[in-house]
Amino acid sequence: MAAGNGASRSAGRSRSSGSASRASEPSLASEPSRASGRSRSSKPSCAPGPSRTSDPIGPNGLENPVDPVDPAAPVDPPPPAGHRSRPAPVAVPWDTARHIAERAAAGPPEPATSALGDALGRTLAAPLTALTDLPSFDTSAMDGWAVSGPGPWRLDHPAGASEAGPPPGILAGQAPTQALRDGHAIPIATGARVPSGATAVLRSEHGEVRELSDGGRRLYAPRPAPPGQDIRPRGQECRRGDQLLPAGALVTPAVLGLAAAAGYDELTAYRRPRAEVLVLGDELLDHGLPQEGRIRDALGPMLAPWLHALGVEAAAPRHLADDADALYAAIAESTADVVITTGGTASGPRDHVHPTLRRLGAEVLVDGVAVRPGHPMLLARLAPHRHLVGLPGNPLAAVSGLVTLAEPLLRTLAARLPAAPYQTPLAAPVHGHPRDTRLVPVAYREDERQGLMAVPLHFHGPAMLRGIAAADALAVVPPGGAERGTELELLELPWSAGSSAGWSPGSSTGWTALGDG
């Protein structure tokens, strides 16, 4: 995925090993390897589930597309009156789905001008052009003395200065009014304006001051001070009118500093997209332990911070019961650029997303993606400038929908440039689905012989978050799988983009490769 900061990545980049602590990943032998295909629940894998069991691992070691039904489990009630079954949608290829999502919006909204601090995380709508030379005057690069001509130099004492004390100097923020005469010197601080007539700055540790018989002082240096030494000349960094950054650059803290130095009080940038998250499900709890068939909501706490990392404005998620009218009202009344729902994207009697979209007259752009986990995701256009992304309810499946459909759409709305795709070799083989793309959590490892490699992590079933919590990226595994050493495209997680955190061989985190298990 594009890194929240849009920075380009390369296949050969290096990462420091072991510089960040990661969650422990137990060995494969302890992993149950269950992968639910349901789209309703937002439960973590370790939470007690409803009275339906699943054994989605088939004889070939791949996730089955559906959960088998426990004969002892209660049978779902018949559809309510008026409910119509929906024909099975045709899943589009994963890369096609991302292409559609990226182009679903015509472009970002109109840019706005705001104070510097309010532009953080937004995208420049126009090039950042210097309003002044940088530096805007000749500046001392060191504490020492401004000197004129070859030494030794007589230290100047401006009128009114005490001959008994040390010679006064030029401090940062002061504007010297007198030229420095040839053969003279005056103390100067780092960042202070160099007086006219000065030819160099002599560092304080390189000079020696000696008393003269007439009560004056003379500055000596062990070696000559060449012209321009330790002076930052006017315009060294840029000249007025130079382009510092192009339109489309992300406003980072460093960009704010550069803009301020270049004379800006305001910046014109595209506003952040606004998203609203609707977490659906009667079975969800927002606190405490799972109990009495109800489970903790794992998506609500995760989605808003994830969206913030992508530069999106998102309020706290709203929880809605499985009620068609409540969902209709929430979507119809929302003013967000993108509404994101969790769960309810299948065609069961309590899955209300599709009927609600029909009721709203929405245009469904993507209805199912050939990707595991997360294939029942969807993308719809609610209005010319409003969209809905329907995520599956299982946590890792929802992450898959987020990076597949939501991130490309929101990137277009924020006018952010996509990260350059890059590939990294696998440290272990990964099973593939016969027909669909797989997204598998991976962590970086610096191998002594192979260089940077991607270690596939355990606990990568649709209902599991343990693997993604320890991951740096998601590996895009083609149908049929990939062997060790195969270079795969990686979608880097927004909080790991640009970081040097990685995995080192022998790390105490205990991350191990998936292998063939």
Side-chain angles (χ1 to χ4, degrees):
M1 69 185 290
N5 60 9
S8 296
R9 302 284 177 245
S10 64
R13 70 171 177 177
S14 63
R15 289 190 177 263
S16 71
S17 60
S19 60
S21 173
R22 290 287 183 180
S24 175
E25 280 285 333
S27 67
L28 183 61
S30 65
E31 181 187 355
S33 296
R34 298 305 188 210
S36 169
R38 293 177 50 134
S39 65
R40 284 290 310 121
S41 166
S42 63
K43 58 180 179 293
S45 62
C46 56
S51 56
R52 176 181 293 241
T53 61
S54 64
D55 187 10
I57 303 299
N60 59 358
L62 298 170
E63 293 92 346
N64 286 333
V66 296
D67 290 341
V69 178
D70 181 357
V75 178
D76 287 334
H83 179 85
R84 294 183 299 170
S85 61
R86 184 173 58 90
V90 177
V92 301
W94 178 79
D95 52 354
T96 301
R98 282 175 58 84
H99 181 85
I100 293 172
E102 186 176 41
R103 288 158 178 76
E110 289 297 317
T113 301
S114 62
L116 283 182
D118 294 334
L120 182 64
R122 294 161 59 185
T123 302
L124 290 178
L128 186 70
T129 303
L131 302 180
T132 181
D133 297 342
L134 283 181
S136 54
F137 46 79
D138 292 349
T139 305
S140 176
M142 303 294 294
D143 291 332
W145 297 269
V147 299
S148 180
W153 305 272
R154 188 177 183 92
L155 285 172
D156 280 348
H157 282 263
S162 171
E163 292 289 337
I170 305 171
L171 303 178
Q174 296 178 344
T177 58
Q178 296 180 350
L180 190 61
R181 293 174 292 170
D182 186 41
H184 285 243
I186 188 170
I188 192 168
T190 301
R193 183 169 186 166
V194 175
S196 61
T199 56
V201 169
L202 181 67
R203 300 186 185 190
S204 55
E205 62 268 26
H206 294 166
E208 179 186 355
V209 178
R210 300 175 187 174
E211 300 290 336
L212 300 178
S213 59
D214 61 2
R217 294 180 175 89
R218 194 174 295 276
L219 175 65
Y220 292 85
R223 63 182 64 88
Q229 174 180 275
D230 287 326
I231 293 178
R232 291 187 61 215
R234 177 174 181 168
Q236 181 186 49
E237 186 171 0
C238 66
R239 288 291 185 182
R240 180 181 179 182
D242 286 353
Q243 179 175 306
L244 306 177
L245 289 170
L250 183 66
V251 180
T252 65
V255 170
L256 293 180
L258 176 63
Y264 284 85
D265 298 317
E266 299 176 326
L267 286 177
T268 300
Y270 295 103
R271 69 169 176 84
R272 301 177 190 87
R274 292 182 299 108
E276 182 173 9
V277 178
L278 305 177
V279 179
L280 315 180
D282 293 331
E283 75 277 20
L284 301 178
L285 298 170
D286 60 7
H287 66 280
L289 295 174
Q291 56 184 315
E292 299 177 355
R294 301 189 68 191
I295 58 174
R296 280 296 299 271
D297 167 31
L299 291 179
M302 178 176 66
L303 289 179
W306 197 309
L307 293 169
H308 293 161
L310 296 175
V312 177
E313 290 184 6
R318 294 173 55 192
H319 175 258
L320 296 180
D322 287 318
D323 180 271
D325 289 336
L327 178 61
Y328 173 85
I331 298 175
E333 295 168 5
S334 176
T335 60
D337 301 303
V338 178
V339 176
I340 297 177
T341 61
T342 69
T345 55
S347 56
R350 303 181 74 184
D351 293 328
H352 301 302
V353 174
H354 282 96
T356 300
L357 292 176
R358 290 194 293 269
R359 187 176 171 188
L360 289 165
E363 178 189 2
V364 177
L365 305 176
V366 174
D367 192 1
V369 179
V371 65
R372 302 300 171 104
H375 59 95
M377 66 183 74
L378 64 85
L379 170 65
R381 181 178 289 116
L382 301 173
H385 303 292
R386 296 182 60 240
H387 294 80
L388 179 141
V389 175
L391 305 179
N394 275 321
L396 190 58
V399 169
S400 176
L402 191 66
V403 301
T404 300
L405 296 179
E407 186 275 333
L409 171 63
L410 291 167
R411 174 164 33 85
T412 296
L413 290 172
R416 289 193 176 193
L417 299 175
Y422 71 99
Q423 296 182 330
T424 299
L426 284 174
V430 178
H431 287 303
H433 188 274
R435 300 172 304 278
D436 297 348
T437 300
R438 285 191 68 201
L439 300 182
V440 174
V442 296
Y444 295 123
R445 180 183 79 185
E446 195 70 37
D447 185 85
E448 291 183 359
R449 287 194 247 177
Q450 302 295 327
L452 184 69
M453 302 191 80
V455 180
L457 300 179
H458 303 300
F459 305 108
H460 54 280
M464 300 178 181
L465 288 176
R466 193 169 173 181
I468 194 69
D472 291 301
L474 288 166
V476 182
V477 182
E483 298 298 323
R484 170 183 164 84
T486 303
E487 291 196 349
L488 295 183
E489 179 184 355
L490 296 186
L491 305 178
E492 199 163 55
L493 304 179
W495 47 86
S496 64
S499 74
S500 59
W503 187 98
S504 62
S507 168
S508 61
T509 59
W511 296 352
T512 53
L514 286 174
D516 293 325

